[in-house]
Amino acid sequence: MAVDLLLGLQWGDEGKGKIVDVLTADYDIIARFQGGPNAGHTLEFDEIKHVLHTIPSGIFHDNAVNIIGNGVVIDPVILKREIDSLEKYEVNVRSKLLVSRKAHLILPTHRLLDAASEAAKGKAKIGSTLKGIGPTYMDKTGRNGIRVGDIELKDWEQKYRNLANKHEAMIGFYDVAIQYDLKELEEQFFEAIETLRALTFIDSEEYLHQAIKADKTILAEGAQGSLLDIDFGTYPFVTSSNTTAAGACTGLGIAPNKIGEVLGIFKAYTTRVGSGPFPTELFDEIGETMGRVGREFGATTGRKRRCGWLDLVALKYAVQVNGVTQLMMMKGDVLSGFKTLKVCTGYRYKGETIHHLPYNIEEENITPIYTELKGWDEDLTQMTTKEELPATLIDYIEFLEKELEVPIKIVSVGPDRKQTIYR
Ligand code: GDP
Ligand code: IMO
Ligand code: MG
C-alpha cells in the first residue's frame, strides 16, 4: 500500500485543512510532515470553524490516527492551546494523536530570535509569522536542536538551559531592542511540556513502515505551499522547510518508492501573506474584491493576504517539482461575478517570453502575459454535483487541465466540508 501526499502548490493557504478533513474518511492515518505553527489550517463543518496549527487536519474523525512527524517543529505552548480548544468540542485528541520523538521543539527564545532577526532586517524582512520557525530549523540543521524525545532524558532541563542561554546571547548581537519576560515565557513553556509529555511518542519511520506493511491507508499532510519551499520557493522569501513532495519522505521516514498519489491543491486565483515577489498580484478593485469575498486574512496572524490572478507558470512549476497526479481547485466560488478572468500563461522576462520560473522573479524582471477567459455569474456555493457547474467554469477548469496536463478531481465551492464537488 502506498502513501498519498496532499500539498499546497502556491504560497500557502490553498485550503489544505479543508481537503484533508474531507479526505480523512478514506484514510487510516493522517501524518503532518513539515512546518510548525506558522501553518493555519481551517476546517468548517456544522457551522463551526476550527483552525489547526500543529495538529493534523484528520483529528475530527474517529477512523484515523493523526501523526505529527519528525519533520515538524512543535511549539508546546501552541500545541497545548490547540489540544485544550479541541477538547472543548469533545474531540479526544490524546487517544488519536501520535508525536514523533524526532520532531524538534520551538523554545520561547526561538520566537524571540525570529522577532529580532525580522526587526533587524527592516524593510527587507521576510514577513515571518514570528513563530520561531527559522531559528528552530537553524538549530536542527546546525545540530543544536532539542527534540521531543529529549524531554524523556534526565538532563533535559540542562540541555534546555544551555540552548536558551546561547539564544539570549545571540539576541544581544542584533542591533534591535526586543522586550520580553523570559521567566513568564518559560513558565508557560514548562507547563505545556507536561501536556506534551502526556501524549504518545513514536518513531514515525518505524510506525509508518509497519503501517504500510499492514496495508493501512496513509495520507501525508503538507503545510505552507511549494513556492515557500526552502529550496524551490521564492528564496529568501520562503519558510525554512521542504514543503514539496520530497519533504514527506524526510519528514516522516517513508521511502520515495512508497509514495502513491500526489494530490496538489490550488486556489482558482493566487494569494500570498508576507513579503516577496508575486508577479500576478493585483493592486486594484479586483484584488480587493477577491480578498473581501474570499475572506483572505491569515489564519495564523490575521494579516491581510495579497491577492492576484492565477499564475499558471508558477503552478506548472509546482506540479513538476512535486510530481502531482491529481489536482484540486479551491475557492472557484470567490470568482463568481467577474466578467473576464485572467490567467498568467507566460512571463515577459529580459525581453523574451518564457514559460518557466526563472531564478529571480522580482517584479522589475517579470511582466505576466495573460490569457483571458470568460467568467461565471452563478453562485456556486449551493452546488453539490458536477452537473450543476456553469459551462464557463468547466471551460476554465478544462483550460487549466490542458495547460497543466493533470486532471482536476475536486472543485471546492465554499469553506464547508459539504461544499466539495468530485469530478
Ligand atoms: P490552508 O492553510 O491551506 O489549510 O488554508 P487556510 O485555512 O489558511 O485558508 C483557506 C481559507 O479558505 C479558509 O478560510 C477556508 O475556510 C477557506 N476555504 C477553503 N476552501 C474554500 C472554498 O472553496 N471557497 C471559499 N469561499 N473558501 C474556502
Ligand atoms: P499554511 O500551512 C501562508 C509565510 C509567511 C512568510 C514566510 C516565512 O497555513 O498554508 P515563517 O513563519 O515560516 O518563517 O514565514 O512564509 N508562511 C505562510 N504563508 N500560509 C502558511 O501556512 C505559511 N507559513 C508561513 O507569511 O512570508
Ligand atoms: Mg493557512
Side-chain angles (χ1 to χ4, degrees):
M1 188 62 83
V3 180
D4 295 336
L5 311 184
L6 184 132
L7 309 163
L9 301 181
Q10 295 160 314
W11 278 290
D13 305 328
E14 295 88 353
K16 298 175 288 293
K18 165 178 167 163
I19 291 296
V20 170
D21 173 60
V22 168
L23 297 181
T24 300
D26 302 331
Y27 289 93
D28 301 314
I29 299 172
I30 306 295
R32 253 288 288 278
F33 62 87
Q34 46 68 233
N38 47 348
H41 296 173
T42 314
L43 289 71
E44 276 189 47
F45 52 87
D46 302 338
E47 324 254 294
I48 302 175
K49 177 167 141 176
H50 303 273
V51 180
L52 298 169
H53 301 286
T54 320
I55 295 175
S57 301
I59 201 72
F60 290 96
H61 294 258
D62 288 328
N63 60 296
V65 164
N66 288 256
I67 295 178
I68 300 178
N70 58 280
V72 176
V73 291
I74 300 175
D75 184 332
V77 178
I78 295 176
L79 177 62
K80 176 180 187 311
R81 213 180 290 149
E82 272 182 83
I83 293 174
D84 291 347
S85 108
L86 287 171
E87 285 181 343
K88 276 192 206 129
Y89 290 100
E90 288 171 15
V91 181
N92 190 351
V93 183
R94 289 158 215 262
S95 68
K96 47 188 176 178
L97 182 66
L98 305 174
V99 183
S100 165
R101 283 192 185 86
K102 295 191 179 77
H104 279 246
L105 291 180
I106 302 177
L107 311 189
T109 42
H110 281 128
R111 270 185 278 140
L112 299 173
L113 278 170
D114 202 356
S117 161
E118 284 285 83
K121 283 194 159 112
K123 274 204 178 124
K125 71 174 182 183
I126 308 296
S128 133
T129 59
L130 302 178
K131 302 295 177 197
I133 305 298
T136 307
Y137 279 113
M138 280 163 73
D139 271 340
K140 173 177 177 173
T141 51
R143 297 161 296 178
N144 294 310
I146 297 184
R147 302 189 287 178
V148 167
D150 291 338
I151 70 173
E152 294 177 317
L153 305 177
K154 263 209 264 12
D155 67 341
W156 112 265
E157 288 203 22
Q158 191 54 47
K159 220 173 164 159
Y160 168 86
R161 182 56 49 210
N162 293 345
L163 189 56
N165 286 348
K166 181 175 155 199
H167 289 162
E168 277 211 284
M170 286 164 71
I171 292 165
F173 286 123
Y174 287 101
D175 196 16
V176 290
I178 297 285
Q179 304 293 330
Y180 60 90
D181 178 351
L182 189 54
K183 241 184 139 173
E184 193 187 318
L185 295 174
E186 285 182 343
E187 256 169 44
Q188 283 175 5
F189 178 77
F190 283 106
E191 192 194 330
I193 285 287
E194 295 314 309
T195 302
L196 176 63
R197 201 189 291 285
L199 298 177
T200 307
F201 299 162
I202 57 164
D203 300 308
S204 63
E205 62 284 20
E206 172 61 16
Y207 186 95
L208 289 169
H209 177 71
Q210 296 302 342
I212 293 167
K213 267 176 89 174
D215 267 351
K216 301 270 187 214
T217 49
I218 305 167
L219 178 67
E221 174 182 2
Q224 289 81 52
S226 299
L227 302 176
L228 290 170
D229 182 277
I230 183 72
D231 284 284
F232 301 108
T234 48
Y235 193 90
F237 300 101
V238 293
T239 190
S240 297
S241 61
N242 281 115
T243 60
T244 44
C249 296
T250 55
L252 291 170
I254 45 177
N257 64 351
K258 295 293 188 292
I259 304 291
E261 297 293 323
V262 180
L263 316 176
I265 165 162
F266 69 99
K267 280 180 191 169
Y269 49 99
T270 310
T271 64
R272 170 162 211 172
V273 228
S275 328
F278 180 176
T280 62
E281 183 168 12
L282 290 165
F283 300 93
D284 58 7
E285 181 53 35
I286 297 175
E288 280 295 312
T289 306
M290 286 174 179
R292 190 181 63 251
V293 178
R295 291 189 274 157
E296 296 295 357
F297 292 91
T300 296
T301 58
R303 289 177 294 176
K304 199 168 170 180
R305 295 178 183 144
R306 301 153 63 191
C307 296
W309 294 118
L310 187 63
D311 184 342
L312 270 187
V313 180
L315 197 53
K316 209 178 269 185
Y317 173 79
V319 165
Q320 275 172 22
V321 170
N322 292 308
V324 171
T325 59
Q326 296 180 25
L327 287 162
M328 306 185 171
M329 188 178 91
M330 313 300 286
K331 300 191 99 160
D333 55 300
V334 174
L335 297 183
S336 288
F338 291 123
K339 264 211 150 35
T340 306
L341 300 173
K342 290 189 185 180
V343 175
C344 169
T345 46
Y347 295 146
R348 227 23 227 167
Y349 177 73
K350 297 186 177 167
E352 273 180 64
T353 299
I354 58 165
H355 298 278
H356 66 275
L357 271 193
Y359 179 69
N360 183 345
I361 64 163
E362 292 300 332
E363 57 224 62
E364 58 270 25
N365 294 320
I366 294 269
T367 312
I369 300 168
Y370 289 108
T371 298
E372 294 197 357
L373 294 143
K374 258 180 103 173
W376 50 91
D377 276 328
E378 292 84 345
D379 173 8
L380 311 182
T381 59
Q382 306 304 317
M383 296 182 181
T384 51
T385 61
K386 63 179 188 206
E387 287 72 28
E388 291 167 84
L389 296 174
T392 44
L393 171 62
I394 303 285
D395 290 346
Y396 189 79
I397 291 171
E398 288 178 352
F399 177 78
L400 303 185
E401 288 183 321
K402 195 159 154 259
E403 289 283 315
L404 298 167
E405 300 175 81
V406 181
I408 297 177
K409 294 285 200 182
I410 286 183
V411 179
S412 171
V413 292
D416 194 274
R417 243 185 210 171
K418 292 199 200 102
Q419 292 168 301
T420 310
I421 297 177
Y422 290 83
R423 289 179 75 237

